[in-house]
Amino acid sequence: MTALKAGNLDQLGGDVSLPGYHRDDVSVGILHFGVGGFHRAHQAMYLDALMKEGKAMDFGICGVGVMPGDRRMQEVLKAQDGLYTLVQKHSDGRWEAQVIGSIVDYLYAPDDPEAVIQRLAAETTRIVSLTVTEGGYNFHHVTGEFNFDNPDVRHDLDASVVPKTFFGLIVEALARRREKGMAPFTIMSCDNIQGNGDVAKESFVAFARSRDPALGDWVESEVNFPNSMVDRITPVTTDEDREQIRARFGIEDGWPVVCEPFTQWVLEDHFNQGRPAYEEVGVQVVDDVMPYELMKLRLLNASHQALTYFGYLDGYRYAHEVCQDELYADFLLNYMVEEGTPTLSPVPGVDLDDYRRTLIERFANPEIRDTLARLCAESSDRIPKWLLPVIREQLERDGEIKRSAAVVASWARYAEGVDEQNEPIEIVDRMKEELHEIAQHNRDNPLAFIENREVFGDLVDNERFVEAYTRALSRLHQQGARATVESVR
């Protein structure tokens, strides 16, 4: 068994791909907040691929942790000289391992906030990237405005105190660069949210302007916030994964990363201090990310919703189980072709037929073991963003909606809190109490669920949608998930 660290790389077997470049030649050009599984399976992997070609050596990554849970990442990466194992799990059972070397430093901000600020303010720092989740951008879930009631944000708005949040750390560094007449770094969000660059810009400008109006104006006019679309299924690493990596590859890794083979990154070319040549390792560098975002939201994300409630009600618990069932696979593909795809703009460089087929294959990968419970979570946030826009656009163009309406009905049935085997369902949603209470009236008032205008807006006023929805809900109650899918697939 070989402990993963720089001095031991030559002891690893030939079935493990190694960095192959001199990591001493790599200098930090990117600070990344939120080093977790996805960042290490995605952005860090692309940079590692460039470095293997002798490129982007001045864009090494320094990770930054601000949350208590980031302490462990700091400890593991320090012990392993920043190295970690990335394993692609293929659907045929093959595991493909590589050691990634693009993370060359890691700072835990609570230990030394000033060290983080100085590194951010250094002229060599050209990109600050983020994977902090949607909630990290600190927008109020009701008003949609930046939440100044957050106590840590309130604390950091005082320029005389030591910052606690990534907003405070990054904006303090920008203020120092501005005072010295230095150009700002680019802030690159890699979070899985629509318009992630625009979201980041809105939050940082709001914070900076509240601290100092002139600084806020400078951030708004001078800092670039490219939008991007990111995609790679990256499950949480389990103890079983660690044990399998030991058994298969002889590597002792404190925090390896497992992922699917597929990866995609579409990135706006909107950088003011240069960037790595990402396009040379498969990144689609474009002028406008929006067509690609819509493709992902309305095909991938909406299809997850299409499979998860029906599948769970039918007794399945993993996405691959549902997608290996021909009935559900046909239903998903037909949703994408007949309802999701007609709402898309042209997507340059993408074969949509191939993309749709690949989605089904990805969902059906048994090695990933993506749980339906995860996909069913936070439906009141997801369905209004991913599926309801498809329904509205299809209604406007007199297109098909029967499958989309059936998916909404499957959510309503799921919200009743018991599956078709009379097993209880643990609903995970910020509105779970309200939704569960409403769903108890589904049988005596079939419109009860969609009368919730906070979620559905005016869709309950559309006769064609109401007819399709109530027909599917009635069949779900009378005949179950499989018969309902069969009737609309």
Side-chain angles (χ1 to χ4, degrees):
M1 196 64 57
T2 302
L4 183 59
K5 51 195 317 177
N8 294 345
L9 288 179
D10 60 354
Q11 299 177 31
L12 297 179
D15 54 348
V16 180
S17 174
L18 303 178
Y21 49 88
H22 295 290
R23 294 179 73 234
D24 290 343
D25 295 337
V26 178
S27 59
V28 171
I30 299 173
L31 264 69
H32 183 83
F33 286 77
V35 176
F38 183 76
H39 170 71
R40 295 189 294 150
H42 197 265
Q43 299 96 47
M45 178 275 301
Y46 282 105
L47 275 170
D48 182 77
L50 274 172
M51 290 172 182
K52 285 179 176 177
E53 299 178 3
K55 301 171 182 176
M57 302 297 278
D58 54 345
F59 280 102
I61 299 168
C62 173
V64 182
V66 297
M67 307 296 288
D70 294 330
R71 169 72 75 183
R72 180 166 168 254
M73 183 63 72
Q74 178 209 30
E75 293 170 347
V76 169
L77 290 178
K78 181 179 180 180
Q80 297 180 178
D81 301 315
L83 299 168
Y84 61 92
T85 313
L86 176 64
V87 173
Q88 298 179 42
K89 293 183 172 183
H90 294 266
S91 59
D92 61 3
R94 264 186 319 117
W95 286 29
E96 183 179 350
Q98 62 185 121
V99 174
I100 302 294
S102 54
I103 298 178
V104 295
D105 200 0
Y106 190 98
L107 300 174
Y108 184 59
D111 283 349
D112 192 347
E114 181 60 27
V116 174
I117 295 168
Q118 289 184 15
R119 183 66 73 89
L120 286 163
E123 192 170 0
T124 51
T125 297
R126 290 181 277 171
I127 297 172
V128 173
S129 54
L130 310 170
T131 46
V132 295
T133 75
E134 184 170 4
Y137 293 93
N138 194 48
F139 287 104
H140 195 283
H141 74 272
V142 174
T143 66
E145 301 293 324
F146 190 78
N147 182 15
F148 289 104
D149 292 330
N150 181 320
D152 288 339
V153 167
R154 286 203 311 270
H155 172 274
D156 282 6
L157 285 172
D158 182 351
S160 67
V161 304
V162 177
K164 295 181 178 180
T165 68
F166 68 86
F167 291 112
L169 294 163
I170 291 171
V171 170
E172 172 60 24
L174 286 171
R176 294 185 189 184
R177 292 175 78 120
R178 175 172 173 257
E179 289 167 5
K180 294 178 180 179
M182 294 170 56
F185 40 71
T186 295
I187 297 179
M188 179 177 72
S189 170
C190 297
D191 279 296
N192 184 27
I193 53 178
Q194 186 174 7
N196 53 16
D198 297 333
V199 169
K201 181 173 184 175
E202 186 177 349
S203 62
F204 277 98
V205 169
F207 180 92
R209 185 165 281 148
S210 182
R211 173 180 149 162
D212 174 355
L215 176 61
D217 291 343
W218 185 80
V219 171
E220 183 174 42
S221 63
E222 300 300 324
V223 180
N224 287 359
F225 295 85
N227 286 305
S228 66
M229 185 272 271
V230 297
D231 189 10
R232 187 170 222 180
I233 298 173
T234 309
V236 173
T237 304
T238 65
D239 288 339
E240 182 182 352
D241 291 325
R242 292 182 179 88
E243 182 55 41
Q244 282 292 315
I245 289 168
R246 292 187 196 103
R248 292 178 184 233
F249 305 107
I251 301 174
E252 184 69 43
D253 187 333
W255 204 334
V257 184
V258 296
C259 63
E260 65 170 334
F262 180 90
T263 181
Q264 186 176 25
W265 189 6
V266 184
L267 177 64
E268 282 181 356
D269 198 358
H270 191 47
F271 295 77
N272 66 328
Q273 290 275 31
R275 61 167 176 80
Y278 291 121
E279 63 272 30
E280 296 185 15
V281 287
V283 179
Q284 294 167 269
V285 179
V286 300
D287 293 328
D288 182 12
V289 167
M290 180 61 73
Y292 303 89
E293 287 185 324
L294 286 179
M295 174 186 72
K296 184 186 175 191
L297 290 168
R298 298 182 180 185
L299 299 187
L300 186 153
N301 295 129
S303 291
H304 267 154
Q305 300 302 290
L307 71 88
T308 194
Y309 309 106
F310 279 122
Y312 200 102
L313 291 168
D314 199 16
Y316 291 125
R317 292 298 177 262
Y318 292 94
H320 70 268
E321 296 171 335
V322 182
C323 289
Q324 289 174 0
D325 186 321
E326 184 178 353
L327 171 67
Y328 290 109
D330 285 349
F331 172 71
L332 289 182
L333 187 59
N334 289 335
Y335 156 76
M336 287 191 276
V337 172
E338 301 296 338
E339 301 183 27
T341 300
T343 70
L344 302 181
S345 305
V347 189
V350 175
D351 181 332
L352 288 176
D353 284 337
D354 181 66
Y355 183 81
R356 291 186 293 254
R357 286 193 301 271
T358 299
L359 283 180
I360 302 294
E361 293 170 3
R362 292 170 64 194
F363 295 165
N365 184 342
E367 293 294 313
I368 298 301
R369 298 183 66 80
D370 203 5
T371 66
L372 297 186
R374 183 188 77 84
L375 298 179
C376 287
E378 305 301 342
S379 310
S380 63
D381 283 332
R382 294 173 170 181
I383 280 187
K385 294 175 183 175
W386 300 342
L387 185 65
L388 299 190
V390 171
I391 294 172
R392 291 193 174 94
E393 290 196 28
Q394 286 292 86
L395 286 170
E396 288 177 7
R397 59 164 49 95
D398 200 28
E400 280 195 24
I401 61 162
K402 62 182 182 181
R403 300 172 190 86
S404 299
V407 174
V408 175
S410 72
W411 175 30
R413 170 65 183 84
Y414 176 89
E416 293 174 17
V418 61
D419 67 14
E420 292 174 5
Q421 292 73 43
N422 290 318
E423 293 293 329
I425 296 173
E426 182 180 353
I427 298 169
V428 178
D429 195 292
R430 63 180 177 83
M431 296 178 63
K432 66 178 181 179
E433 288 84 7
E434 178 183 351
L435 294 172
H436 181 62
E437 173 60 29
I438 293 172
Q440 302 314 301
H441 302 284
N442 281 341
R443 294 177 189 270
D444 54 77
N445 175 14
L447 300 184
F449 201 72
I450 59 173
E451 285 176 337
N452 185 340
R453 292 181 183 267
E454 179 183 348
V455 175
F456 294 100
D458 61 357
L459 278 175
V460 71
D461 301 325
N462 186 284
E463 184 177 341
R464 191 155 72 92
F465 171 72
V466 167
E467 181 182 355
Y469 167 82
T470 53
R471 185 187 309 118
L473 184 61
S474 175
R475 196 178 295 269
L476 275 162
H477 285 142
Q478 294 174 16
Q479 297 177 273
R482 296 190 69 83
T484 303
V485 170
E486 182 67 57
S487 72
V488 296
R489 70 163 169 167

